[in-house]
Amino acid sequence: DIVMTQSPDSLAVSLGERATINCKSSQSVLHSSSNKNYLAWYQQKPGQPPKLLIYWASTRESGVPDRFSGSGSGTDFTLTISSLQADDVAVYYCQQSFNTPPTFGQGTKVEIK
Amino acid sequence: QVQLVESGGGVVQPGRSLRLSCVASGFSFSSYPLHWVRQAPGKGLEWVALISFDGHGTKSYYAGSVKGRFTISRDNSRSTLYLQMSSLRVEDTAVYFCARDRAYDDAFDVWGQGTRVTVSS
């Protein structure tokens, strides 16, 4: 199974500042024929199901604010919140779907400093 | 409105069985692979099972932790996904979510609200 490791486990950022979350996979999730990374990012607020933010590592889901961006390829990926808003307080998960079983990172909790 | 609604959770003793359901609406149910994902109290997301359907039949896949104990199935005529859970263990205690796999990018784009399963004596 592909192991997904996120860092840090938690971070506190001031309102309006940048938040950066890293995700590393134990093997490449880049599909050679499509040149797509099968890496998604989800946001989960307390008591709610996860919400898809980013797919293919860097494509923003429809309706997701443009302050959320994803980058990276192969085994190293980053989710950036360019200007943190109060509504962004949540746990963020990366997930690979390159292989079955799909696997999630352990989550990164984002709070307001 | 695209929606998934789970039901069937509850409190059950170790070793017993439980069946979860997930009713879909607002989209062509048979066209999508579907997953069960669980979240133990205060923990992260754990994928449980996947079922696909390609017109010739279904294929199912399981996490190692549930293989041989859980069975995923679907009834396309009822737009319903199931998870039959048997030989339940305390460590199966979690909120169980069903999720739609968008297939072209394998992202989980629609999630239900979840149903809580507690395994306790």
Side-chain angles (χ1 to χ4, degrees):
Chain A
D1 298 1
I2 297 177
V3 177
M4 308 299 291
T5 304
Q6 292 180 227
S7 62
D9 290 334
S10 65
L11 76 161
V13 176
S14 300
L15 288 172
E17 295 300 304
R18 179 184 300 262
T20 302
I21 301 168
N22 300 302
C23 174
K24 189 174 185 68
S25 58
S26 61
Q27 65 186 75
S28 176
V29 298
L30 175 63
H31 200 285
S32 55
S33 60
S34 64
N35 200 36
K36 299 288 189 186
N37 288 280
Y38 280 71
L39 188 286
W41 289 96
Y42 299 86
Q43 175 194 64
Q44 187 180 31
K45 298 179 180 180
Q48 296 186 18
K51 173 188 173 183
L52 176 64
L53 296 177
I54 302 282
Y55 61 95
W56 284 338
S58 60
T59 302
R60 201 178 301 114
E61 178 72 348
S62 176
V64 172
D66 61 6
R67 64 180 180 273
F68 291 93
S69 63
S71 62
S73 184
T75 61
D76 292 280
F77 302 91
T78 300
L79 174 70
T80 301
I81 309 172
S82 60
S83 176
L84 191 74
Q85 305 299 305
D87 188 51
D88 301 335
V89 169
V91 179
Y92 293 83
Y93 296 92
C94 62
Q95 177 225 358
Q96 68 78 22
S97 54
F98 179 83
N99 269 354
T100 299
T103 46
F104 293 89
Q106 79 275 19
T108 295
K109 187 175 185 178
V110 174
E111 300 172 307
I112 305 295
K113 186 188 292 183
Chain B
Q1 173 189 0
V2 175
Q3 198 172 7
L4 296 170
V5 179
E6 303 96 335
S7 62
V11 180
V12 62
Q13 292 179 326
R16 304 297 289 261
S17 298
L18 203 61
R19 189 177 82 158
L20 307 182
S21 300
C22 170
V23 177
S25 59
F27 65 96
S28 177
F29 181 80
S30 62
S31 299
Y32 291 86
L34 296 159
H35 301 261
W36 286 100
V37 176
R38 68 184 181 184
Q39 187 168 38
K43 302 297 184 181
L45 301 170
E46 180 189 15
W47 175 81
V48 173
L50 157 66
I51 189 165
S52 59
F53 177 73
D54 63 4
H56 299 288
T58 60
K59 291 183 180 179
S60 54
Y61 306 84
Y62 299 93
S65 58
V66 307
K67 196 168 188 177
R69 300 188 299 122
F70 289 12
T71 302
I72 189 172
S73 62
R74 63 193 298 165
D75 184 340
N76 290 334
S77 67
R78 296 176 184 270
S79 296
T80 302
L81 174 71
Y82 301 101
L83 186 67
Q84 178 68 46
M85 304 184 294
S86 61
S87 302
L88 281 161
R89 304 168 180 169
V90 171
E91 54 265 34
D92 296 319
T93 294
V95 174
Y96 285 74
F97 298 100
C98 57
R100 186 179 82 169
D101 184 323
R102 197 154 56 184
Y104 71 83
D105 58 6
D106 284 324
F108 296 7
D109 68 331
V110 180
W111 295 68
Q113 286 296 317
T115 187
R116 185 175 301 274
V117 173
T118 302
V119 185
S120 172
S121 55

